[in-house]
Amino acid sequence: MASLRQAVVVADPDRLAVTAAERMLARIAANGGRIAICLTGGSSPKKLYELLATDAYNTKIPWLRTHWFIGDERFVPVDNPLNNMAIARKIFLDRFSPSSHIHPIPTNTANPDESAARYECELKAFYGAASLDPARPLFDLVLMGVGPDGHTASLFPGDPALRQTERWVVGVGRAPVEPLVARMTLTLPALASCREMLFEVAGKEKRAILTRLAVDETLPANRARSSGETLWLIDSAACPETLRGR
Ligand code: 6PG
């Protein structure tokens, strides 16, 4: 079944960010204990991150109980503008979160495989077990985006990383789309271990790939699903004809 059946279409990128922020707050409110949020890279979540920095939202986040992870990273130094976690840190995390609660994928290693192995260890230590229990998701919320080729996180069409069932994080060679750098990515099982997976997709340039995803073409973004709830937030410019007026 097409993942996009669970799509919510909103007017524009501002509305998309507000809707995503409200869903994040709802997931946070539902957990009275330690909270784990997995952020995403790319440009799509920037408005959401900006919103989380405003008083209306930052005052509602229990920062001392909340931990922040990232679903994929580019193998570039933290001072490189392409570094995904650095963008989130700059926009909101460094202003509000204890630094020990920010969990970037390290990039100061010999290669992406080593970075991935180190992050997998960190995730397992945080989770407190080496295998994922379906009854106890790793994350409360996983944010996702979609690339023009249907990739999500750094899971690219045809890449062996998609077949991983054991590893939580893997290194990926040079990405086939911009930015053309090596990456590290959480695998499908690790990303699935969440109460909610929330895709944010905006802009008319995303309409073609959403049209393909809506007819259930087998692409990474259609294979990424939460073991709990999966929701697609789409703005009207990105919305394919087939999903209009449902
Ligand atoms: C990355 C990503 C990637 C991204 C999509 C969408 O590091 O590039 O995490 O999966 O989410 O490519 O990117 P945009 O939001 O920039 O369209």
Side-chain angles (χ1 to χ4, degrees):
M1 95 81 210
S3 314
L4 289 185
R5 200 171 295 169
Q6 277 115 26
V8 170
V9 184
V10 297
D12 53 39
D14 287 338
R15 209 52 235 161
L16 197 76
V18 170
T19 310
E22 296 296 338
R23 289 199 72 94
M24 184 183 285
L25 287 186
R27 283 291 159 192
I28 286 173
N31 183 349
R34 188 181 68 167
I35 296 153
I37 310 271
C38 186
L39 301 172
T40 184
S43 55
S44 306
K46 281 189 188 162
K47 273 183 188 286
L48 166 64
Y49 297 167
E50 282 160 11
L51 212 51
L52 295 175
T54 63
D55 284 350
Y57 290 92
N58 76 60
T59 54
K60 294 189 182 129
I61 296 173
W63 295 99
L64 298 180
R65 286 194 291 119
T66 308
H67 288 255
W68 306 89
F69 296 86
I70 190 95
D72 75 309
E73 188 54 90
R74 291 92 179 260
F75 191 63
V76 295
V78 289
D79 59 358
N80 185 307
L82 294 175
N83 188 287
N84 284 335
M85 192 56 130
I87 293 169
R89 293 187 80 132
K90 189 168 167 209
I91 302 178
F92 78 109
L93 288 179
D94 281 347
R95 293 169 59 193
F96 304 104
S97 173
S99 60
S100 60
H101 290 202
I102 305 171
H103 304 265
I105 300 180
T107 57
N108 57 344
T109 63
N111 55 54
D113 290 339
E114 188 184 328
S115 293
R118 276 173 51 181
Y119 205 51
E120 183 166 313
C121 282
E122 182 165 350
L123 283 171
K124 286 178 174 172
F126 177 82
Y127 186 65
S131 59
L132 293 164
D133 175 357
R136 189 170 68 87
L138 173 58
F139 301 115
D140 291 276
L141 180 70
V142 170
L143 295 176
M144 298 285 254
V146 176
D149 56 349
H151 80 260
T152 190
S154 281
L155 294 164
F156 296 94
D159 196 284
L162 287 162
R163 294 196 296 272
Q164 269 295 338
T165 53
E166 300 301 320
R167 295 287 309 272
W168 295 18
V169 191
V170 292
V172 179
R174 187 172 178 268
V177 296
E178 293 282 352
L180 307 175
V181 293
R183 321 265 187 121
M184 290 71 61
T185 187
L186 269 63
T187 58
L188 289 173
L191 291 164
S193 182
C194 62
R195 298 191 187 283
E196 176 171 338
M197 182 179 284
L198 186 61
F199 284 85
E200 277 191 278
V201 194
K204 63 178 184 337
E205 61 285 355
K206 293 287 167 75
R207 196 184 293 177
I209 191 61
L210 287 185
T211 303
R212 290 172 60 192
L213 290 164
V215 294
D216 218 6
E217 200 175 314
T218 306
L219 290 164
N222 260 347
R223 295 183 52 194
R225 308 233 171 124
S226 169
S227 56
E229 188 177 0
T230 303
L231 188 84
W232 286 73
L233 291 181
I234 298 172
D235 86 338
S236 61
C239 186
E241 284 304 323
T242 44
L243 294 185
R244 283 178 197 274
R246 288 176 312 159

